Amino acid sequence: MPMVALLRRVILILVTLSIASTIYLYNYPTFHRCGFPLPSKSGSPPPFRLLALGDPQLEGDSSLPDLNDALVPSLGNLWQDLIDSRSLLQKLLVTRHRLGEVVRSDIPRIIQSYRKRLDLLGNDYYLGHIYQTLHRALNPTHVTVLGDLLGSQWISDDEFEHRGWRYWKRVFKDGERVKDDVTAGIHVGTFGQDGVWKRRIINVAGNHDVGYAGDMTVQRIQRFEKVFGRANWETRFVLPSKGAGNNISAVPGLRIVVLNSLNLDTPAIDQELQRETYNFINNIIATSRPVEDQTSATVLLTHVPLPKEDGVCFDGSWFDFYDEDEGGGLKEQNHLSSNAGKGILEGIYGMSGESEAPHGGLGRSGIILTGHDHEGCDVYHHLPADANPEYRRWTAEKWDSSSQRRNQTIPGIREITVRSMMGEFGGNAGLLSAWFDEKDQGWQFEYSTCSLGVQHIWWAIHILDMITISIVSIATLVSVM
């Protein structure tokens, strides 16, 4: 009886812990009080709610043993060696040596191989859990993944396809690629009238997907676009029309620009690809609403963060280049160069700081979301007011401590580098809200985050559930017998 009572008590504790932890895991946004920021005046859900995820970096089978290799290579040619041995003692010594190699090398390698496969499987479902739980709980209108969808640009086409399959079938199981007919031209939608955007995943090209400028090739771009969607494209959304008729330009709207920023800097191995990106930016500038029109705002989604001084974010400014015999191209970078960053701020957003320019040089309103720096960052880019206009340069300050972000006389814009959703960075997600302020006649942006925690939490709760189910099942069978 004491043993039965103890077993019942253990089962009760396990069941209680399992139920409580599982409820937490599948409802963690509620427990963490996560939510899209709301307009302070109305409190109603904003028309644009973007779930922003950074750098999942799906690793793959390239680090695993080749399936065509022998399972226990130490036993290879053992039979031939035994035949060649001249004495029984020699045969015994050969056998002992080979069995020792099996124990010292093959078995640990096999265990490590299966552990790695299990780790990859669990990581896929951990990332998928973040997306699916937040999508269900918070009801975003749009979803983006800000580059480095996969873990390496150097993998084979077959491995790329396989990781792409995992991405769509495990991580973003209910999501879908944005179709080419949507990204081919300028698509204009109305907020709240096309629910399919909730399922579409706006994928941004990262360096581990297509490479940096020094190793980005047509083949890498083509396979990315085949699996994940176009690398450079835009789409627009307007508020439901209130008497504007067919005049879309008279209706407040958001412009979402997806930019492959990985070949903005030089040297580029494929200058034609780089030219395509430059042409895309020029077209964005040419087809923008007038700078004075503050009823329109631009949301730029790209991978590489804009330039900033060392110490502002975790990653400092850094560039590396291939040797001349390897092409001499751009090999790695933490930020865009000053010229590339200036091209975005003064080109796409039209911020010149010149008082004689349209809208006083203050440019267009909007926000920039980037990835790449796994730690994440939140900054305000501006042109200092007290500097000589001829020599002043763009400066970045941390958003929370910026003394300039409320200065309405100088051009500036917020850039949010979304912290990675990988387990070691806490399973983070960004929540961006945008709404049109009728009083100020302009778009307002607010941002918050939601974190599940390290992947060990996901593992521990599912292992606890399996142990609990197994013990309860065994106890039930024993009681019936």
Side-chain angles (χ1 to χ4, degrees), residues 74 95-106:
S74 296
T95 302
R96 187 181 70 172
H97 173 73
R98 291 299 185 87
L99 291 177
E101 288 296 312
V102 170
V103 173
R104 288 189 298 270
S105 177
D106 292 346

Side-chain angles (χ1 to χ4, degrees), residues 213-215 266-269 320-324 326-332:
D215 47 59
T266 57
I269 192 174
D320 191 21
F321 300 88
Y322 285 103
D323 295 334
E324 287 301 322
E326 297 175 300
L330 179 60
K331 186 177 183 179
E332 289 184 67

Side-chain angles (χ1 to χ4, degrees), residues 93-156:
L93 289 174
V94 168
T95 302
R96 187 181 70 172
H97 173 73
R98 291 299 185 87
L99 291 177
E101 288 296 312
V102 170
V103 173
R104 288 189 298 270
S105 177
D106 292 346
I107 291 178
R109 182 184 58 81
I110 293 171
I111 293 174
Q112 174 66 13
S113 171
Y114 281 100
R115 188 204 66 80
K116 178 67 174 177
R117 293 179 195 278
L118 183 62
D119 182 59
L120 291 175
L121 181 68
N123 186 66
D124 288 353
Y125 285 110
Y126 163 80
L127 296 173
H129 179 80
I130 293 171
Y131 162 69
Q132 290 163 16
T133 304
L134 289 171
H135 200 275
R136 182 189 69 249
L138 304 183
N139 191 30
T141 60
H142 298 76
V143 181
T144 185
V145 183
L146 292 159
D148 281 359
L149 287 51
L150 309 183
S152 173
Q153 71 269 40
W154 301 104
I155 56 178
S156 68

Side-chain angles (χ1 to χ4, degrees), residues 136-189:
R136 182 189 69 249
L138 304 183
N139 191 30
T141 60
H142 298 76
V143 181
T144 185
V145 183
L146 292 159
D148 281 359
L149 287 51
L150 309 183
S152 173
Q153 71 269 40
W154 301 104
I155 56 178
S156 68
D157 291 347
D158 288 342
E159 176 63 14
F160 191 95
E161 289 278 350
H162 179 60
R163 294 194 201 185
W165 179 88
R166 288 166 48 202
Y167 184 90
W168 290 117
K169 298 300 182 182
R170 292 178 184 170
V171 182
F172 296 98
K173 184 178 179 181
D174 299 322
E176 63 181 52
R177 174 183 177 275
V178 183
K179 296 178 180 178
D180 293 340
D181 60 343
V182 175
T183 61
I186 299 178
H187 173 273
V188 180

